[in-house]
Amino acid sequence: MGGSQVKNNTALMENLEGMVQSGKWQQQQWRKIAAEGLPINKDDAWKYTSLSGFKQLPLHSAAFQPVENISYESLSLNLDGYRLVFFDGLFSVRCSDWIPKTTITPLDRLSDVETYELSKPVQPDAFTYLTDATATGGVLIEVDAETVIDKPIYLLHISSGMKGDVCSYRHHISLGRLSQCELIEHHISLDQGGGVTLSRMSADVGKGAHFYHTKLIEEAPCQHHFGHNDIVVDRDASVHSHCLMLSGVLCRHQTSSHLQGENGFIEMNSLSMPDDQQTFDSRTYLRHQAPHCRSEQLHKTIARGASNGVFDGMIYVEPSALKTDGQMDSHNLLLSESAQVNCKPQLEIYADDVKCSHGATTGQLDARQVDYMRARGISKDKAQQMLLFAFASEVAFKIRNVCVKQHVCDKLVGSLSQVRPHSDKKGLAPHLIPEKFTGRSQGEFYV
């Protein structure tokens, strides 16, 4: 866990402790973070992601909001699915749908055995424990074996976003043998947002099961979001997981996965679009344990204004993971002189007869492509916007659900229509250039 032995601000820790729930497992999770403290910028995993704004907030649990106070229908995606609604950290049974062949258990009704299983992370960090300790809303979703859920399960989270409000969610989904399910996580905070969203979703994908997962982060400009997903993949199972960070002042999300069964497959993709002085931090950790497994990753960042983009990914191949095939790519665009992207793809390989690779590029738009389009009657601004959309939509087009895919593409069009990429002094932007790596990200690996 990335933490520090130096104790953080006493008032902040007291505020956080006041939000810890009474469950035995949650108290245990709190003790883990209390012993280590919150991360600081000297920690390697946090040196590009500052928590100064978060630590200055007057943190407290979000107050209860009656359903009538929030127009959740207008905020919901217009998709054909089973909707589970969460307001300010609480599960609203009244606004949620019944799902056939599926058992839904609210977080506060879980047994000690179930909560013990929930507390097992693949690759934890400080906010993994903090989310567990403070979670007030969440559900356990159990899909029966040999069951195909005919519609996506849509988890809609709405935060009032008052300053210092903390909404904490803990979800788990268990897919039985040969089952199939699509899950969509959607996080929204209202315009006055100045609070914090803590979110953790874990998944156990059984033998031969298929899991499709998409997470949309559309927070208010002053809202913080810390998310962590843990996915365990069994034999002959497949997972497709996408995370799209579209708005928020600081968004940090990690997907940690464990391929524990032979012939498993996982795809993990992300798209980050920070603007102004926002920081969007995307992370992955993938543990290959079983032989004959495949993994694919594509991560893209478009950094604008004085924003900060971060990507950190690790593929860890154990000695038993023979015939592993893993690929991780990170591609980043800088659209202003003040924007920055810090990229660190990593491999650790302890098995023979594997095929693993990673690659990263960072740069600006290719001026020759813009000139080519202008020579065919397309304006410079339109040409730049088309190229940016083509770059970003590669991730969006991987989303399985048509409605969600269209929603993301509409957001991209609206956001990119305001972009005016800068050029160098000669009026030409350089081609995408390989990231200058340090340490393990130079392509070093361990055998």
Side-chain angles (χ1 to χ4, degrees):
M1 174 178 118
S4 169
Q5 294 296 335
V6 179
K7 296 300 183 289
N8 303 112
N9 181 272
T10 302
L12 172 63
M13 296 302 288
E14 288 178 352
N15 288 345
L16 293 175
E17 186 173 12
M19 292 183 284
V20 177
Q21 300 302 299
S22 59
K24 181 179 178 181
W25 71 286
Q26 294 178 295
Q27 295 285 335
Q28 291 174 340
Q29 298 294 71
W30 168 251
R31 285 193 289 271
K32 293 176 183 178
I33 188 173
E36 300 259 347
L38 289 174
I40 58 177
N41 286 349
K42 291 183 179 179
D43 297 325
D44 186 62
W46 291 87
K47 63 181 178 181
Y48 299 119
T49 305
S50 173
L51 288 174
S52 59
F54 167 77
K55 292 179 179 179
Q56 293 172 9
L57 291 173
L59 300 176
H60 54 267
S61 296
F64 171 74
Q65 289 285 346
V67 174
E68 294 77 11
N69 290 359
I70 302 177
S71 178
Y72 70 94
E73 290 287 358
S74 63
L75 298 172
S76 175
L77 294 178
N78 187 28
L79 58 81
D80 183 19
Y82 300 110
R83 186 172 58 189
L84 303 179
V85 182
F86 302 82
F87 295 124
D88 286 331
L90 297 176
F91 177 42
S92 175
V93 178
R94 171 182 172 184
C95 301
S96 301
D97 299 326
W98 173 78
I99 306 176
K101 298 182 180 179
T102 302
T103 302
I104 305 294
T105 307
L107 183 68
D108 57 1
R109 299 182 186 177
L110 297 179
S111 68
D112 290 340
V113 173
E114 290 168 330
T115 53
Y116 174 76
E117 291 298 321
L118 286 181
S119 65
K120 294 180 178 179
V122 174
Q123 182 71 5
D125 65 3
F127 282 87
T128 301
Y129 298 130
L130 181 61
T131 303
D132 282 358
T134 60
T136 55
V139 290
L140 168 62
I141 303 172
E142 298 173 284
V143 180
D144 296 342
E146 302 182 22
T147 296
V148 176
I149 305 300
D150 59 333
K151 300 177 183 179
I153 298 175
Y154 176 38
L155 306 181
L156 174 61
H157 310 80
I158 303 174
S159 169
S160 299
M162 304 301 289
K163 187 173 182 180
D165 277 3
V166 177
C167 301
S168 188
Y169 304 100
R170 180 67 176 92
H171 304 299
H172 181 80
I173 181 167
S174 177
L175 276 69
R177 183 180 62 88
L178 300 177
S179 62
Q180 179 176 309
C181 177
E182 180 178 7
L183 182 73
I184 298 165
E185 289 184 82
H186 194 189
H187 292 268
I188 301 172
S189 50
L190 304 185
D191 289 340
Q192 69 269 23
V196 178
T197 302
L198 302 175
S199 171
R200 184 173 172 224
M201 188 279 296
S202 54
D204 285 331
V205 185
K207 293 180 175 63
H210 303 287
F211 182 45
Y212 304 90
H213 170 252
T214 303
K215 180 172 183 176
L216 299 179
I217 302 175
E218 296 185 83
E219 302 283 15
C222 296
Q223 188 82 359
H224 292 68
H225 184 105
F226 300 94
H228 198 137
N229 291 347
D230 292 287
I231 303 173
V232 178
V233 186
D234 212 331
R235 181 186 180 96
D236 299 319
S238 68
V239 173
H240 302 262
S241 182
H242 318 288
C243 180
L244 300 106
M245 292 184 277
L246 303 179
S247 57
V249 66
L250 191 161
C251 296
R252 179 179 170 112
H253 185 272
Q254 176 166 325
T255 300
S256 301
S257 303
H258 179 194
L259 288 163
Q260 70 172 14
E262 192 171 352
N263 292 321
F265 170 79
I266 188 165
E267 177 186 24
M268 297 187 292
N269 306 311
S270 71
L271 174 64
S272 302
M273 297 186 61
D275 199 356
D276 296 328
Q277 296 184 4
Q278 299 167 346
T279 295
F280 286 5
D281 186 336
S282 177
R283 294 172 177 267
T284 62
Y285 176 87
L286 175 56
R287 179 182 173 191
H288 277 267
Q289 181 184 21
H292 302 283
C293 290
R294 292 192 304 116
S295 62
E296 298 176 2
Q297 298 186 53
L298 176 61
H299 306 280
K300 293 197 170 187
T301 301
I302 299 178
R304 303 161 289 176
S307 64
N308 176 30
V310 181
F311 171 72
D312 189 303
M314 165 67 81
I315 298 178
Y316 184 95
V317 182
E318 295 192 4
S320 57
L322 303 177
K323 298 292 185 180
T324 286
D325 186 349
Q327 172 67 36
M328 175 169 56
D329 291 306
S330 173
H331 302 299
N332 313 290
L333 280 178
L334 299 172
L335 301 186
S336 76
E337 295 285 355
S338 302
Q340 63 175 325
V341 175
N342 295 281
C343 181
K344 187 181 180 183
Q346 304 168 82
L347 300 177
E348 285 196 26
I349 302 174
Y350 298 95
D352 296 325
D353 197 10
V354 302
K355 182 171 67 174
C356 289
S357 62
H358 64 59
T361 57
T362 299
Q364 302 167 351
L365 286 176
D366 189 338
R368 293 183 299 180
Q369 294 179 350
V370 176
D371 291 341
Y372 177 87
M373 298 172 73
R374 292 182 67 188
R376 282 149 183 80
I378 301 174
S379 69
K380 181 179 180 180
D381 286 349
K382 185 65 175 179
Q384 291 174 336
Q385 291 163 14
M386 291 172 67
L387 290 172
L388 290 172
F389 180 81
F391 176 84
S393 63
E394 185 179 2
V395 175
F397 287 167
K398 292 179 178 290
I399 298 173
R400 183 171 187 255
N401 186 274
V402 175
C403 178
V404 177
K405 185 187 304 182
Q406 186 62 54
H407 174 78
V408 172
C409 288
D410 291 343
K411 288 287 184 178
L412 293 178
V413 171
S415 179
L416 297 176
S417 64
Q418 309 299 321
V419 171
R420 296 293 183 271
H422 76 284
S423 300
D424 62 15
K425 294 180 180 179
K426 297 181 180 179
L428 297 175
H431 308 305
L432 290 177
I433 56 176
E435 180 71 279
K436 293 182 179 179
F437 298 135
T438 59
R440 294 176 184 172
S441 57
Q442 290 178 333
E444 299 176 7
F445 56 89
Y446 303 88
V447 178

